[in-house]
Amino acid sequence: VEKYCEKIGYGKTPEEYIRQNKDYIVNVAGRQEMSGAAIMMFGKDPQRFFPRSRVRFIRYEGTEAKVGAEMNVIKDKMFQGRILDLVEQTIEYVRTQIKEHTYLGPDARFVTEPEYPEFAWKEIIVNAIAHRDYSIKGTDIQIKMFDDHITVESPGTLPGTVRLNNMREIHFSRNPKMAQLLHEYEYVREFGEGVDRMYREMEEAGLPEPEYKTVAFMVHATIKNKKYLVESEATKNQDVAQNVAQGVAQDVVQEEKRTLAEIIIAEISKNEKVTREQIAVKAGVSKKTVEREIKKMGNVHYVGRGYSGHWTID
């Protein structure tokens, strides 16, 4: 409490800070006790009172969870402690699991891009810790990482007036004191803007938008990486190839007759942030082949760097 008082510039004693905040003290059978929020924020051993107030990280090999003889769990870590401990320990560990991709950019400089925008994966973790329903004692927060996506499962339904169709605009904190603490430590930036910014950053990275759903008493938040896009495109191409073989997609035959340069122009015209990998999948060639063709064309240029850049056609 003393450290937090120093952080927020509170000039009185830590005890006075606790006593002046009604959210930290509750009356139980005529006596005063610390509230759940106070225990989770400042308690020496919060899990003594809330055993499942933990974060569990599970990494799977592949794109789906398997059980029994096919079980594909390759990492299983548990984090516990106060709210700030949970956030710091979890983020520090998950960062070690995020892959990076390095490639030679259009300006002949190497560019390194993570498989997910940092703000996006941190946001779904911090949101889960800050807004979970700590009165639900039968499960913990679970972060499930697969080759092509990350899903964070948080106990509790969507809080207040937040719904799946308005969560980019509506902000409601189930645990306002916890959210305020994380805001002071800059894990929560501007109240109410985190989810919308996450959508924007995923879009700027050329990735699918985040997906939210409620399953029983749990909220699931999912973000997907470029491997998901490539595999989805590959699946589409397989379906198209099968249709062509069966003679039910003659328009695709015409598609295959196009030159690589024509495919590149067409894909960039549809999406100025399309990746070389996506063009390669569409054309049925390697990424290096696409890069060589772009250099030969001369009228296609990439402006900017990384997620924020885009293609132009002269």
Side-chain angles (χ1 to χ4, degrees):
V1 178
E2 183 176 12
K3 289 181 180 179
Y4 185 57
C5 287
E6 292 174 2
K7 181 73 176 177
I8 64 176
Y10 183 79
K12 298 180 181 180
T13 67
E15 183 177 354
E16 287 176 299
Y17 173 75
I18 290 292
R19 290 193 177 281
Q20 77 159 7
N21 283 276
K22 62 181 181 179
D23 292 330
Y24 295 150
I25 298 177
V26 293
N27 289 311
V28 179
R31 65 179 186 275
Q32 290 186 327
E33 293 186 357
M34 301 298 288
S35 68
I39 291 172
M40 286 304 305
M41 291 169 66
F42 307 118
K44 290 184 178 180
D45 183 13
Q47 281 70 42
R48 174 185 169 191
F49 303 94
F50 300 96
R52 300 302 291 270
S53 61
R54 307 170 302 191
V55 176
R56 184 182 181 188
F57 174 88
I58 309 170
R59 173 133 199 181
Y60 295 88
E61 184 174 26
T63 58
E64 60 181 349
K66 298 179 181 179
V67 297
E70 296 183 330
M71 181 174 287
N72 56 337
V73 174
I74 56 177
K75 291 186 183 295
D76 193 339
K77 296 278 290 184
M78 191 74 75
F79 306 100
Q80 59 185 40
R82 306 179 187 93
I83 289 293
L84 194 58
D85 298 325
L86 291 176
V87 170
E88 291 178 341
Q89 293 172 18
T90 304
I91 286 177
E92 181 180 357
Y93 185 79
V94 172
R95 181 177 280 113
T96 68
Q97 303 301 305
I98 301 293
K99 296 178 181 178
E100 292 184 336
H101 172 57
T102 301
Y103 61 91
L104 190 63
D107 57 356
R109 295 182 180 181
F110 283 102
V111 178
T112 299
E113 295 179 348
E115 59 180 332
Y116 304 97
E118 180 167 311
F119 183 88
W121 65 261
K122 287 171 66 174
E123 178 70 12
I124 59 174
I125 291 172
V126 172
N127 270 353
I129 296 172
H131 302 304
R132 74 155 283 180
D133 187 341
Y134 286 92
S135 68
I136 296 175
K137 300 180 180 180
T139 187
D140 36 40
I141 294 170
Q142 295 196 4
I143 303 170
K144 298 180 178 179
M145 177 180 280
F146 300 85
D147 290 353
D148 63 347
H149 70 280
I150 299 174
T151 294
V152 177
E153 301 176 1
S154 180
T157 56
L158 292 169
T161 57
V162 178
R163 300 291 181 268
L164 294 175
N165 62 356
N166 68 6
M167 60 195 320
R168 293 186 67 172
E169 298 84 24
I170 301 298
H171 172 76
F172 185 95
S173 179
R174 176 181 279 118
N175 308 303
K177 287 295 183 182
M178 296 181 190
Q180 179 64 41
L181 180 144
L182 294 176
H183 177 67
E184 296 294 344
Y185 284 91
E186 299 182 358
Y187 285 106
V188 173
R189 300 294 177 88
E190 297 298 326
F191 289 121
E193 70 100 29
V195 172
D196 185 58
R197 177 178 168 184
M198 177 172 56
Y199 272 81
R200 296 197 307 271
E201 295 218 358
M202 292 293 287
E203 181 180 5
E204 289 172 3
L207 298 174
E209 65 180 27
E211 294 180 0
Y212 284 86
K213 65 179 179 179
T214 56
V215 181
F217 58 91
M218 304 282 285
V219 174
H220 293 202
T222 299
I223 54 176
K224 300 172 181 176
N225 61 24
K226 290 183 179 179
K227 181 177 177 63
Y228 170 83
L229 288 175
V230 171
E231 292 187 348
S232 296
E233 191 67 31
T235 299
K236 290 180 183 177
N237 287 347
Q238 289 176 356
D239 292 341
V240 169
Q242 183 177 4
N243 288 341
V244 170
Q246 295 174 348
V248 298
Q250 295 301 319
D251 57 325
V252 178
V253 174
Q254 297 301 319
E255 173 91 0
E256 292 178 347
K257 291 180 180 179
R258 295 190 301 172
T259 66
L260 178 55
E262 290 173 333
I263 293 175
I264 291 171
I265 294 294
E267 293 305 302
I268 292 175
S269 298
K270 289 188 289 184
N271 177 13
E272 65 178 11
K273 289 183 176 291
V274 67
T275 66
R276 295 169 180 82
E277 292 92 340
Q278 291 169 325
I279 296 174
V281 170
K282 184 70 174 179
V285 298
S286 70
K287 176 186 170 185
K288 288 185 177 180
T289 299
V290 171
E291 291 173 342
R292 286 195 297 268
E293 184 67 22
I294 289 174
K295 286 182 180 179
K296 287 193 301 182
M297 292 169 68
N299 64 332
V300 174
H301 309 282
Y302 195 79
V303 179
R305 297 178 63 185
Y307 296 131
S308 60
H310 63 278
W311 294 100
T312 63
I313 302 172
D314 295 341

